Amino acid sequence: MLSNSIKLKERIASKQNIFLLLLLQLRPHQWTKNLLVFAALLFSLHKVSIHLLGKSLIAFFLFCMVSGCVYIINDFADIKNDRNHPEKRYRPMASGALNPFLGLAFGCGLLIASLFSAFHFDLWFGSVLLFYFLINVAYSFTLKHVVILDVMIISAGFVLRAIGGSLMIGTPFTPWFLLCTMLLSLFLAISKRRHELYLLQEEKGSHRKVLENYSIELLNQLNTIVTSATIISYSLFTFTSGRTIQLMWTIPFVIFGIFRYLYLIMMGNKGGTPEKVLVEDKPILITVLLYVIAVASIILIFE
């Protein structure tokens, strides 16, 4: 009896462990990237309702699930390279804790359920989510090896999140909004490459071949161009997007946030995981919160 009881407990613990590993494989710590689907809701607060909030939450959840499926495929394809990375080698598949084929099967089932739900709620949203998945799969197997295009694909993922969130609640998006999103996400993608290049140093090709085509100097120059364009584009957005001109008061938050991130990149050699920086760096976290509060207040008062 005692032996059977111990075996039962071991089975339960094993099942719980697998569930936890599958959850970790979806990288919930990176789900903060999907908060961008709420951007359209933030700039439409004067029209907000429980119904729209619910649809935005659904869009966020579905992007989390599909992006998790992308991470599963990416980790499955990169399992050998990830084992040479000082941080990624601890991921469930790379560490050997999770059977890669079990993770892949779980991802396929989750992807089918997520896409079916997305198309059920909105045809255009489902199309955007499907396209998001396809370009990320293409990135995982091919496009991540193409210099410059690799960071542009990462940026496109953020833009599709913003578009998806807008389509889900039926709010039109402006070219300025998409341009600002694209430039800011390019900044984060370039910073991520710079961090990887710094972290791996002489062994950069052993983890990601495309790093052999980059240099710290090139990435610094690209960031200079992108950050300048981001600040100018956001400033023009506040003045010419047809929204209240009072949004101009949020420009200092954007400038400080970008400058602070540049400081962390240049002086602290961070930037490999933007979602981690957002949570751990208090000045950036406070700036983001103040920005959201400022935008929400301005829109509710002046629109």
Side-chain angles (χ1 to χ4, degrees), residues 41-280:
L41 188 69
L42 175 62
F43 285 95
S44 305
L45 274 182
H46 55 298
K47 302 176 183 177
V48 74
S49 64
I50 297 297
H51 177 67
L52 291 183
L53 178 60
K55 294 188 77 173
S56 291
L57 287 170
I58 291 170
F60 171 77
F61 175 77
L62 289 175
F63 261 105
C64 288
M65 296 301 101
V66 173
S67 63
C69 294
V70 172
Y71 294 143
I72 288 175
I73 294 174
N74 184 64
D75 286 359
F76 184 86
D78 276 354
I79 190 167
K80 291 182 179 179
N81 291 331
D82 286 350
R83 285 170 179 164
N84 295 322
H85 192 279
E87 294 177 358
K88 295 180 181 181
R89 62 182 177 180
Y90 297 111
R91 289 175 178 173
M93 285 189 191
S95 66
L98 177 66
N99 185 303
F101 293 99
L102 174 62
L104 190 63
F106 168 73
C108 290
L110 183 61
L111 175 66
I112 293 171
S114 300
L115 290 176
F116 177 82
S117 300
F119 278 104
H120 172 74
F121 283 107
D122 186 90
L123 177 62
W124 285 108
F125 173 76
S127 300
V128 167
L129 196 60
L130 176 60
F131 184 62
Y132 168 85
F133 172 75
L134 292 176
I135 66 166
N136 276 280
V137 170
Y139 170 84
S140 296
F141 287 97
T142 305
L143 300 180
K144 67 181 179 182
H145 302 303
V146 183
V147 65
I148 304 299
L149 186 60
D150 61 325
V151 293
M152 295 188 72
I153 293 298
I154 295 174
S155 173
F158 285 93
V159 174
L160 289 173
R161 288 177 175 98
I163 293 175
S166 181
L167 289 171
M168 191 65 159
I169 64 173
T171 300
F173 44 83
T174 65
W176 283 115
F177 172 70
L178 296 182
L179 182 61
C180 292
T181 303
M182 181 192 73
L183 290 170
L184 183 60
S185 53
L186 261 179
F187 168 60
L188 296 176
I190 293 168
S191 301
K192 178 181 176 67
R193 283 289 179 269
R194 187 188 187 282
H195 178 75
E196 289 177 336
L197 196 59
Y198 171 81
L199 196 64
L200 295 172
Q201 299 290 345
E202 300 301 324
E203 300 178 0
K204 57 185 180 181
S206 63
H207 170 66
R208 197 184 294 277
K209 292 181 180 179
V210 76
L211 291 178
E212 296 177 345
N213 299 307
Y214 286 112
S215 68
I216 296 293
E217 293 76 16
L218 172 62
L219 293 172
N220 286 344
Q221 188 160 356
L222 292 177
N223 254 346
T224 300
I225 295 170
V226 171
T227 51
S228 301
T230 302
I231 293 172
I232 293 171
S233 296
Y234 183 78
S235 300
L236 290 172
F237 163 73
T238 63
F239 286 105
T240 64
S241 64
R243 315 303 297 261
T244 173
I245 199 173
Q246 301 302 326
L247 282 172
M248 67 180 182
W249 299 111
T250 63
I251 295 174
F253 295 115
V254 174
I255 294 175
F256 177 82
I258 290 175
F259 283 4
R260 175 66 186 179
Y261 204 87
L262 279 173
Y263 169 79
L264 294 174
I265 293 169
M266 302 296 183
M267 304 303 293
N269 292 308
K270 298 181 180 180
T273 51
E275 65 281 354
K276 189 176 181 181
V277 173
L278 174 64
V279 175
E280 294 183 353

